[in-house]
Amino acid sequence: MFAQANAMDLHAKFPAVSDLRDAARRRIPHFVWEYLDSATGEERTLRRNRTELDQVLFHPSILHGEFTPNLATEFLGQTYDLPIGIAPVGMSGLIWPGAEHMLAKSASALNIPYSMSTVATQTPEDVAPHLGENAWFQMYPPRDKSIREDMMVRAKAAGFTTLIMTVDVPVASRRERQTRGGLTQPPKLTGRLAVQAALRPAWLNGIRQTGMPRMKLMDGYAESAQLGKSMRSSTAHVGYLLRTSPDWDYVHALRDEWDGPLIVKGVSRGADAQALEKAGVDAIWVSNHAGRQFDAGPATIQSLPDVRQATSLPIIVDSGFETGLDILRGLALGANFIMMGRPWHYALAAIGEKGPAHLADILKKDLEANMGQIGAKDWTDLSTRLASDLS
């Protein structure tokens, strides 16, 4: 009874993702907010993601009677309660102290995938006790073959079953807004940033307990390789000293070395999806890195139909998806699964450890309400409810 009342209180205070976003901005320091919420360039790709999602419309349905929509979905041999997961976000523990542990535990409880970034503030071993059956490890491809192989062995031993190869970060982006915010790598509380932190006591108290976050996995490899810590820009970090811009041979090598599902993230063209299918990957991830890498690319919802037409593989899409209605838009245009990054971190920063479960409940209720409006009993009904021929 108490848990039900508490959930009702959260819905009264934070009924929408936008409420979590607003609360998060008030609870984390400005420089952290600029890291989480910014993109690159003039942030046109970030805005394009939102604008183009809003162009995807559905016909409301009438006289379809009462029904309860089926929200479960199967993806890569697993059945999930919702067609969503937690996307990898670098330096999660900077956004909210202990974020990786909280997100991993929440994903396990919610029966959705949790994706850990190569540049997280924890190592695979650190999060291993909190992982459920649906743990995915995201890899920025290391240049050194021995580091790559060791990283995969550690990820597998920790309980990560699926490997994500990210291919849309060949070089460091500039992220001018983040630079103006003053964040450096590794993060350091300069006088200016310390003042901002002092204004956010909940965040600062958490950081005092966890320590100033750093990229523990990559730092460990950098130290063993005796690499210097000098960076080329304020947005570059130790990961850029170790990783490479992969080619097709790298994809084939990774396919040979990893014996679980392999997903390639950062695809925007159908022709690339076809080639990846031939290379033996298990799923395609349509992404523009949420506008954080390139400011003249299409919105992922624009790229999705072309990729869907080009491949029979399962498709994930992300970048700009924030609501239940956005999830329906992605599924209607051919995606099999939706991943989100920022919203989960808004939820953590707004509420703390209870945040991810509350966000999942917001999305579940939004899905049910909108599926009821358009008369969609499950995901297979969505494309027939589109208001224009976008598929």
Side-chain angles (χ1 to χ4, degrees):
M1 193 70 177
F2 175 77
Q4 185 178 10
N6 190 44
M8 291 175 63
D9 289 343
L10 286 176
H11 277 287
K13 190 172 183 180
F14 306 105
V17 177
S18 57
D19 298 299
L20 296 173
R21 183 181 187 274
D22 292 342
R25 187 170 190 172
R26 294 191 298 268
R27 279 170 53 87
I28 61 179
H30 176 70
F31 73 93
V32 177
W33 175 256
E34 294 296 88
Y35 170 71
L36 169 62
D37 203 58
S38 64
T40 194
E42 299 298 318
E43 302 194 338
R44 292 188 175 93
T45 298
L46 182 147
R47 293 193 294 274
R48 193 175 300 117
N49 284 332
R50 179 68 264 157
T51 300
E52 294 300 325
L53 275 166
D54 288 337
Q55 301 306 307
V56 181
L57 306 178
F58 295 92
H59 285 294
S61 173
I62 63 170
L63 301 175
H64 52 249
E66 294 183 6
F67 66 91
T68 299
N70 177 21
L71 304 185
T73 192
E74 186 173 320
F75 189 79
L76 293 179
Q78 296 290 325
T79 300
Y80 298 105
D81 292 352
L82 295 168
I84 58 172
I86 301 173
V89 173
M91 296 292 286
S92 277
L94 172 70
I95 299 164
W96 195 253
E100 286 93 355
H101 293 171
M102 295 177 189
L103 290 171
K105 286 192 291 186
S106 296
S108 178
L110 293 166
N111 187 32
I112 61 173
Y114 165 67
S115 306
M116 179 178 169
S117 172
T118 306
V119 291
T121 64
Q122 303 296 322
T123 66
E125 295 82 0
D126 291 331
V127 299
H130 309 292
L131 297 175
E133 297 179 356
N134 309 312
W136 301 1
F137 183 78
Q138 176 268 338
M139 176 185 284
Y140 287 117
R143 183 178 294 106
D144 187 304
K145 184 174 184 288
S146 64
I147 291 178
R148 178 179 80 211
E149 292 174 344
D150 185 67
M151 194 180 290
M152 287 191 289
V153 168
R154 291 174 63 183
K156 179 74 76 172
F160 290 93
T161 58
T162 298
L163 184 68
I164 306 160
M165 177 186 181
T166 294
V167 296
D168 62 347
V169 187
V171 296
S173 64
R174 299 191 65 213
R175 301 188 191 174
E176 296 86 343
R177 183 174 145 202
Q178 178 183 318
T179 300
R180 294 185 202 105
L183 177 65
T184 60
Q185 294 292 351
K188 191 179 301 181
L189 282 184
T190 62
R192 170 190 168 198
L193 304 190
V195 170
Q196 295 176 18
L199 297 173
R200 301 292 185 263
W203 180 89
L204 184 57
N205 287 339
I207 290 296
R208 284 172 175 154
Q209 294 178 35
T210 63
M212 201 63 187
R214 61 187 182 93
M215 298 173 182
K216 288 176 67 175
L217 179 63
M218 300 307 281
D219 279 350
Y221 288 121
E223 289 164 6
S224 65
Q226 296 185 328
L227 293 175
K229 297 293 182 84
S230 61
M231 298 298 146
R232 292 165 290 180
S233 75
S234 62
T235 59
H237 49 70
V238 66
Y240 287 99
L241 298 175
L242 293 166
R243 72 196 194 198
T244 186
S245 178
D247 56 17
W248 286 96
D249 288 340
Y250 202 109
V251 176
H252 291 291
L254 209 58
R255 177 66 288 176
D256 290 341
E257 294 164 4
W258 180 261
D259 64 358
L262 174 63
I263 301 169
V264 173
K265 177 178 181 287
V267 180
S268 64
R269 300 192 310 158
D272 292 331
Q274 284 183 329
L276 287 165
E277 184 170 3
K278 290 178 183 177
V281 309
D282 296 290
I284 302 295
W285 190 324
V286 178
S287 176
N288 59 32
H289 225 83
R292 293 167 74 82
Q293 282 301 121
F294 182 56
D295 207 22
T300 54
I301 201 70
Q302 292 176 298
S303 302
L304 180 57
D306 177 51
V307 176
R308 177 71 284 165
Q309 190 172 16
T311 182
S312 61
L313 291 177
I315 294 175
I316 300 168
V317 67
D318 73 2
S319 300
F321 290 76
E322 293 188 331
T323 67
L325 188 54
D326 289 342
I327 293 167
L328 297 182
R329 287 164 165 149
L331 297 174
L333 291 187
N336 304 96
F337 213 78
I338 312 297
M339 296 293 274
M340 297 177 172
R342 288 188 179 106
W344 299 106
H345 290 78
Y346 296 153
L348 276 181
I351 308 175
E353 196 161 7
K354 295 179 181 178
H358 180 60
L359 172 61
D361 205 31
I362 288 174
L363 296 173
K364 178 177 181 290
K365 286 177 165 54
D366 200 26
L367 286 167
E368 291 171 337
N370 285 295
M371 291 175 78
Q373 285 294 139
I374 64 177
K377 297 181 180 179
D378 58 36
W379 315 125
T380 61
D381 293 335
L382 294 174
S383 62
T384 64
R385 307 301 198 270
L386 287 167
S388 56
D389 185 15
L390 296 165
S391 59

